[in-house]
Amino acid sequence: MPTLIKNGTLITASDTFQADILIEGETISQIGKDLPHPSAEVIDAAGKLIMPGGIDPHVHLDLPMFGTVSSDDHYTGHKAAAFGGTTTAMDFVVQEDKGFEYSVDVWRKMSEKAAIDYSFHMNLTKFDDKIAKDIPNLMKMGVQTLKVFTAYNGKLRLDDGGIFKALRIAKENGMLIMAHCENGDVIEPFIADALAAGHTTPEWHALTRPKWGAVESSLRMAAMAEQADSPVYIVHMNAGGEVDMLKYARERGVKVMGETCPPYLFFSVDNLRQPDGAKWICSPPMRDKEDNARLWKGLHENTLQTIGTDHCPFFFDGTKPIMYEGKEVKIAGKELGKDNFTKIPNGLPGIQDRLPIMWTYGVRAGHITANQFVAYNCTNPAKIFGLYPKKGALIPGADADIAIWDPEKKIKYGVAHSHQRTDYNLYEGWEIVGYPEKVFLRGKMIVDGERWLGKSGDGQYLKRGIGEIL
Ligand code: URP
Ligand code: ZN
Ligand code: ZN
């Protein structure tokens, strides 16, 4: 039966207007005033906001790391995403020695339990002539993006020569390089010095990964992209200086785009100094208050292009089980590094938190407009990653991925409210005003208030094509 959402206020990346939306099958069939509804199920959305479902361009589900695994899988992470209004997530495939097809197949298998739509980026952590030849084949698998690292020496890092070659291959094939920007050559000696001096607490994670490394590496990446005449997308921008570099390069016509993640807007190295500081350990690390402010300004001024979560949750205390869907779950987590900050699994929860937190503390606080909120969280990721206008748009023909948002809903947020499968929440006790009330995935309601109507296997793999350079 068609669904007619009546009397809501639609928010897109560019406009805000009152209209009805008719959903037929999996797509939006009409948008207009006073649409007729002879046989449709009608949802009265008076006083509510209607937005495209969120698109999270950066998540890590089921990721083996630090001798454990990120604690949300492709079902639990997706369920949490949906409760927060997100209907598409993009995960990173680990590059296996057996080639890209094998690597993508491993991730396709793990994602069979998907509850929202999803697609993949490929981590490019090894590079030689054979791998170079194999890169274009990723497009046939629907994977248009490769992530490179300028840190994690001897593990994930490619040297600049390899990155430059990858940028050229990407350019030839309509692909996009994504870059994790820190300076591994600086980080390694800092870590060795810190450990030799007996510094083992979480704050040393941040102190050994200085922000200048992120700043120069972001500019280096932009400069290499310019020289390869290839676009580049810098993930998880965290230091204010990186935003300055992004602005500098973009003003000079370099095809560089930037993503930030909510924790970098709110938290600082001071959080790592708390007794529970390990909760904030991720890479790149939390910076300073001035960096928070510069990132906000970068969003306000549209210097940045997207907001992702880098959702990569671990338990704070993985020795104690939590209950998830009526079952005990216990997964080793941050306690692995209680005596050594280098052993703390890197990563933070956030897939559910992104939209509600950014609404209250971004839109309501006056940092960004409601239209920018939709642009950063929905439309721009869809455009950059080749999913637009199927995703990220409220237009006839688009997938009916829709969040009906109650702008007055008040919540004291925290772990008890969250479906993220971990034992803590970074925003514990924060007041939220505005929350998704109903969420649709391709026309099917998967969240209705507190009720979960989605299921494992509902999510579809999205083969992505060539994206736009924003
Ligand atoms: O600490 C983080 N962010 N873990 C996930 C991997 C990455 O570099 O994005
Ligand atoms: Zn990264
Ligand atoms: Zn990441």
Side-chain angles (χ1 to χ4, degrees), residues 13-188:
S14 53
D15 298 298
T16 302
F17 56 99
Q18 284 222 304
D20 300 341
I21 298 190
L22 185 65
I23 302 171
E24 288 182 283
E26 297 197 338
T27 56
I28 295 172
S29 62
Q30 284 186 65
I31 295 182
K33 290 257 182 227
D34 303 319
L35 292 180
H37 51 90
S39 62
E41 183 187 336
V42 176
I43 295 174
D44 184 6
K48 305 291 189 310
L49 308 176
I50 318 292
M51 305 191 219
I55 299 188
D56 194 334
H58 189 157
V59 310
H60 302 277
L61 304 170
D62 266 322
L63 177 66
M65 226 180 155
F66 288 79
T68 180
V69 62
S70 60
S71 61
D72 265 320
D73 63 24
H74 288 79
Y75 168 69
T76 64
H78 283 182
K79 177 178 173 183
F83 271 99
T86 289
T87 49
T88 299
M90 302 185 197
D91 205 323
F92 290 78
V93 175
V94 171
Q95 183 186 7
E96 304 280 351
D97 289 335
K98 292 186 189 164
F100 290 131
E101 194 169 350
Y102 175 86
S103 309
V104 170
D105 278 353
V106 170
W107 240 252
R108 289 288 300 265
K109 268 249 132 1
M110 280 203 296
S111 307
E112 279 169 3
K113 48 180 132 158
I116 60 171
D117 287 357
Y118 63 98
S119 69
F120 297 146
H121 312 295
M122 173 59 68
N123 277 349
L124 187 66
T125 53
K126 291 163 216 145
F127 189 76
D128 58 24
D129 289 348
K130 187 160 169 267
I131 291 167
K133 278 207 189 69
D134 198 17
I135 288 177
N137 292 327
L138 282 165
M139 289 293 271
K140 293 179 213 140
M141 300 168 223
V143 179
Q144 177 252 351
T145 36
L146 295 142
K147 181 182 178 190
V148 298
F149 296 77
T150 59
Y152 302 105
N153 289 11
K155 294 181 195 128
L156 307 178
R157 183 178 185 171
L158 292 192
D159 61 21
D160 286 356
I163 292 176
F164 187 69
K165 283 184 191 155
L167 280 161
R168 287 180 135 181
I169 297 168
K171 150 92 183 162
E172 279 158 26
N173 293 281
M175 300 175 84
L176 176 65
I177 297 292
M178 308 168 81
H180 173 126
C181 292
E182 295 185 279
N183 189 327
D185 291 337
V186 171
I187 291 167
E188 300 305 328

Side-chain angles (χ1 to χ4, degrees), residues 263-297:
Y264 298 121
L265 297 161
F266 299 106
F267 303 116
S268 73
V269 61
D270 287 342
N271 294 93
L272 276 70
R273 296 187 172 119
Q274 296 173 190
D276 59 350
K279 287 179 180 171
W280 281 269
I281 294 274
C282 67
S283 293
M286 299 300 117
R287 304 297 186 183
D288 298 304
K289 294 268 177 289
E290 74 213 40
D291 298 289
N292 302 152
R294 182 66 186 95
L295 287 162
W296 277 121
K297 189 160 172 267

Side-chain angles (χ1 to χ4, degrees), residues 223-244:
M224 281 199 282
E226 167 63 18
Q227 291 166 92
D229 190 24
S230 180
V232 69
Y233 174 98
I234 300 180
V235 294
H236 46 49
M237 295 191 99
N238 51 92
E242 286 186 288
V243 187
D244 294 334

Side-chain angles (χ1 to χ4, degrees), residues 163-454:
I163 292 176
F164 187 69
K165 283 184 191 155
L167 280 161
R168 287 180 135 181
I169 297 168
K171 150 92 183 162
E172 279 158 26
N173 293 281
M175 300 175 84
L176 176 65
I177 297 292
M178 308 168 81
H180 173 126
C181 292
E182 295 185 279
N183 189 327
D185 291 337
V186 171
I187 291 167
E188 300 305 328
F190 269 127
I191 291 178
D193 288 356
L195 292 177
H199 299 309
T200 57
T201 55
E203 74 170 300
W204 286 92
H205 175 74
L207 298 179
T208 54
R209 309 183 84 92
K211 60 177 126 171
W212 274 107
V215 175
E216 66 80 9
S217 150
S218 289
L219 182 62
R220 184 161 27 113
M221 194 54 62
M224 281 199 282
E226 167 63 18
Q227 291 166 92
D229 190 24
S230 180
V232 69
Y233 174 98
I234 300 180
V235 294
H236 46 49
M237 295 191 99
N238 51 92
E242 286 186 288
V243 187
D244 294 334
M245 295 304 104
L246 182 64
K247 190 165 189 286
Y248 176 87
R250 286 176 65 83
E251 281 173 357
R252 283 154 185 80
V254 180
K255 291 175 244 159
V256 52
M257 298 172 273
E259 162 200 277
T260 191
C261 313
Y264 298 121
L265 297 161
F266 299 106
F267 303 116
S268 73
V269 61
D270 287 342
N271 294 93
L272 276 70
R273 296 187 172 119
Q274 296 173 190
D276 59 350
K279 287 179 180 171
W280 281 269
I281 294 274
C282 67
S283 293
M286 299 300 117
R287 304 297 186 183
D288 298 304
K289 294 268 177 289
E290 74 213 40
D291 298 289
N292 302 152
R294 182 66 186 95
L295 287 162
W296 277 121
K297 189 160 172 267
L299 287 173
H300 184 76
E301 293 175 344
N302 295 317
T303 302
L304 289 147
Q305 282 62 56
T306 67
I307 301 172
T309 60
D310 198 2
H311 178 77
C312 186
F314 295 95
F315 279 45
F316 174 59
D317 182 356
T319 66
K320 297 198 183 82
I322 61 166
M323 295 304 285
Y324 198 94
E325 293 195 340
K327 289 198 195 93
E328 279 197 354
V329 186
K330 192 171 76 156
I331 303 170
K334 305 267 185 188
E335 77 288 351
L336 293 171
K338 65 180 176 356
D339 301 320
N340 180 342
F341 70 90
T342 66
K343 304 245 184 306
I344 301 171
N346 284 202
L348 308 180
I351 202 168
Q352 181 172 348
D353 315 330
R354 177 181 65 146
L355 297 181
I357 290 291
M358 289 307 299
W359 182 264
T360 299
Y361 294 94
V363 178
R364 287 184 65 95
H367 290 296
I368 53 172
T369 65
N371 306 107
Q372 284 178 304
F373 173 90
V374 171
Y376 286 131
N377 291 302
C378 317
T379 309
N380 289 359
K383 287 184 173 174
I384 293 169
F385 295 111
L387 292 177
Y388 188 84
K390 178 178 166 67
K391 301 289 186 190
L394 293 179
I395 52 174
D399 279 359
D401 295 347
I402 293 171
I404 302 183
W405 197 269
D406 180 351
E408 301 307 326
K409 175 91 176 170
K410 290 195 173 66
I411 292 172
K412 205 172 178 68
Y413 200 59
V415 71
H417 199 272
S418 168
H419 296 270
Q420 294 165 170
R421 195 169 65 175
T422 180
D423 58 349
Y424 76 100
N425 189 284
L426 293 172
Y427 309 95
E428 195 61 48
W430 289 30
E431 301 285 343
I432 281 184
V433 184
Y435 207 78
E437 183 184 271
K438 294 186 197 309
V439 178
F440 294 83
L441 173 71
R442 281 179 282 101
K444 176 185 168 184
M445 199 191 295
I446 56 171
V447 170
D448 185 9
E450 296 296 312
R451 281 197 309 146
W452 172 235
L453 305 173

